[in-house]
Amino acid sequence: MNRESLASAMAQERRWKSKPSQTSKTSIVMAFFSCVAWLYVAGRLWQDAENRTLLSNLLNKNLSQRPKSLTVEDKLTVLGCKDLSRRIVEAEMELTFAKSRGYLKNKRRENGSNKRLLAVIGVYTGFGSRLKRNVFRGSWMPKGDALKKLEEGGVVIRFVIGRSANRGDSLDRSIDEENRVTKDFLILDGHEEATEELPKKAKFFFSAALRNWDAEFYVKVDDDINIDLHGLTEILESRSGGNDTYMGCMKSGDVINEIGKQWYEPDWWKFGDEKSYFRHAAGSLLILSRNLAQYVDINSASLHTYAHEDISVGSWMMGLQATYIDDNRFCCSSSRQDKVCSLA
């Protein structure tokens, strides 16, 4: 009995001694697999990091080559600039309107008086028209002290002429000398006095007259007609105070589209299939109120001119709220009956 008990006890002791050995081997195996798993995961993470870096570099490279897209802030800046540009245009339009209505101060006028004149009459003339000028000075147009007295009464008369193509030549010097004696010229320094430049002369005349004299009316007259100055003054006085007035002998006519013919119009195609001019004041004598003359002055750089001066002025009036006054007394002819002008 004792022997069996001793044998059983010894066997159980051997089992207890072998357990720690088996546990140690299992731990080592588990640790080994843990290290392998850690190395695998670390390797995958490192590879993924490398891939992300490579993809990020490629993406940045592509973005740098693509057109830059506007951010919200950029878009707001663009919209702000557009809004500012729109407001600038509106301000310019309001300024132009204010100038046309005479709300802005002008430079000191030649007459040196705050009193507004009734009219400035510009008589077109040329370098070879001295004889005509002398005839006018001895007939309907006052000279010397009488001319000054007329100006004091509110009417200014000047011969209107540009400059020679060869500035400062004998033609210019001759006009300057004549003006020193008579003092009755309005010399347009910016205008070249030539037949082909005649349609542009109106822009220079109205601008120069407006800047030199503050008047209710600005009258353009050719040098081949005589004027009933008293009759013209009465008509202008009766129209005094009216705004946007365009007066003259209104007419129309056929547009000449054949090169070489008299009155040929290079822009004939603009007048439609009927080839007829719009209604306009004849060039011998036409009148603009102060507001319309200001419009010509302010917009002279953009106003188009046609082959003929009266057509050009008429085209400028077409887009305005101008009051057309067709007065038969402005239709110059050989007869002076009921007329304020007649052929010289």
Side-chain angles (χ1 to χ4, degrees):
M1 184 75 176
N2 291 334
R3 286 181 183 177
E4 290 177 1
S5 299
L6 180 60
S8 176
M10 291 178 64
Q12 189 176 2
E13 184 179 355
R14 282 196 298 268
R15 284 197 300 269
W16 281 108
K17 287 184 179 177
S18 65
K19 261 187 180 182
S21 175
Q22 292 175 357
T23 303
S24 177
K25 290 180 180 179
T26 303
S27 298
I28 291 172
V29 172
M30 291 298 295
F32 173 75
F33 282 112
S34 297
C35 289
V36 172
W38 182 86
L39 290 174
Y40 174 77
V41 172
R44 289 299 303 268
L45 291 174
W46 178 83
Q47 188 176 9
D48 289 344
E50 287 291 316
N51 290 338
R52 284 196 297 270
T53 302
L54 180 61
L55 291 174
S56 177
N57 291 336
L58 291 174
L59 182 61
N60 290 333
K61 184 177 179 180
N62 290 335
L63 288 175
S64 64
Q65 294 176 351
R66 291 173 58 189
K68 183 181 178 182
S69 59
L70 294 177
T71 64
V72 174
E73 289 77 8
D74 292 335
K75 291 179 180 178
L76 290 175
T77 301
V78 171
L79 291 174
C81 290
K82 288 182 177 179
D83 181 64
L84 180 60
S85 177
R86 176 183 59 79
R87 283 185 287 171
I88 290 174
V89 171
E90 290 176 352
E92 289 177 344
M93 293 174 65
E94 290 175 358
L95 179 61
T96 300
F97 179 78
K99 285 181 177 179
S100 69
R101 295 297 175 181
Y103 296 141
L104 301 182
K105 289 184 178 180
N106 294 305
K107 295 186 296 183
R108 182 179 180 273
R109 301 305 206 279
E110 187 176 293
N111 61 346
S113 173
N114 292 327
K115 181 182 177 182
R116 180 167 293 174
L117 300 170
L118 176 64
V120 175
I121 301 173
V123 183
Y124 279 23
T125 189
F127 292 116
S129 301
R130 184 161 189 167
L131 180 59
K132 284 186 178 181
R133 292 193 291 272
N134 288 335
V135 170
F136 285 173
R137 292 183 183 115
S139 57
W140 66 269
M141 180 177 174
K143 57 182 179 179
D145 293 337
L147 186 63
K148 291 181 180 180
K149 187 175 181 180
L150 182 66
E151 292 177 12
E152 292 173 359
V155 177
V156 171
I157 304 177
R158 291 290 186 273
F159 289 111
V160 182
I161 193 169
R163 287 298 189 181
S164 169
N166 301 313
R167 300 298 174 94
D169 62 5
S170 59
L171 296 175
D172 283 346
R173 292 196 299 271
S174 176
I175 293 296
D176 290 337
E177 181 59 33
E178 185 178 349
N179 188 39
R180 275 192 288 270
V181 176
T182 61
K183 294 181 173 53
D184 57 5
F185 278 88
L186 174 59
I187 299 175
L188 309 175
D189 288 317
H191 174 67
E192 180 182 324
E193 191 65 36
T195 302
E196 62 273 14
E197 297 295 323
L198 184 61
K200 300 177 183 178
K201 192 171 182 177
K203 293 196 288 188
F204 288 94
F205 163 61
F206 287 118
S207 293
L210 183 74
R211 294 174 186 181
N212 281 281
W213 298 282
D214 182 18
E216 290 198 50
F217 299 101
Y218 296 86
V219 185
K220 177 263 173 178
V221 176
D222 280 343
D223 67 351
D224 59 354
I225 62 172
N226 290 314
I227 298 293
D228 175 5
L229 194 56
H230 179 70
L232 176 61
T233 302
E234 284 187 341
I235 293 175
L236 296 179
E237 287 177 342
S238 68
R239 297 288 182 179
S240 179
N243 292 325
D244 306 326
T245 304
Y246 175 39
M247 287 191 285
C249 176
M250 299 295 168
K251 65 173 187 175
S252 184
D254 295 333
V255 179
I256 306 301
N257 63 347
E258 297 180 34
I259 299 176
K261 281 194 172 184
Q262 189 179 21
W263 315 121
Y264 168 67
E265 174 60 72
D267 288 328
W268 57 268
W269 58 274
K270 293 182 179 180
F271 296 93
D273 296 334
E274 298 298 325
K275 296 183 179 62
S276 178
Y277 285 121
F278 40 76
R279 189 71 62 183
H280 61 278
S284 298
L285 194 160
L286 62 86
I287 303 167
L288 299 184
S289 64
R290 181 172 175 271
N291 287 352
L292 297 182
Q294 283 182 318
Y295 171 81
V296 174
D297 176 36
I298 294 169
N299 299 282
S300 60
S302 58
L303 293 177
H304 180 70
T305 53
Y306 291 95
H308 314 296
E309 180 194 35
D310 51 357
I311 300 298
S312 299
V313 176
S315 70
W316 305 337
M317 300 298 107
M318 286 281 288
L320 304 178
Q321 292 290 344
T323 302
Y324 282 59
I325 297 178
D326 181 15
D327 195 325
N328 188 59
R329 289 173 291 180
F330 295 136
C331 298
C332 307
S333 64
S334 57
S335 173
R336 297 194 62 172
Q337 186 175 2
D338 298 325
K339 306 284 185 183
V340 297
C341 60
S342 62
L343 298 178

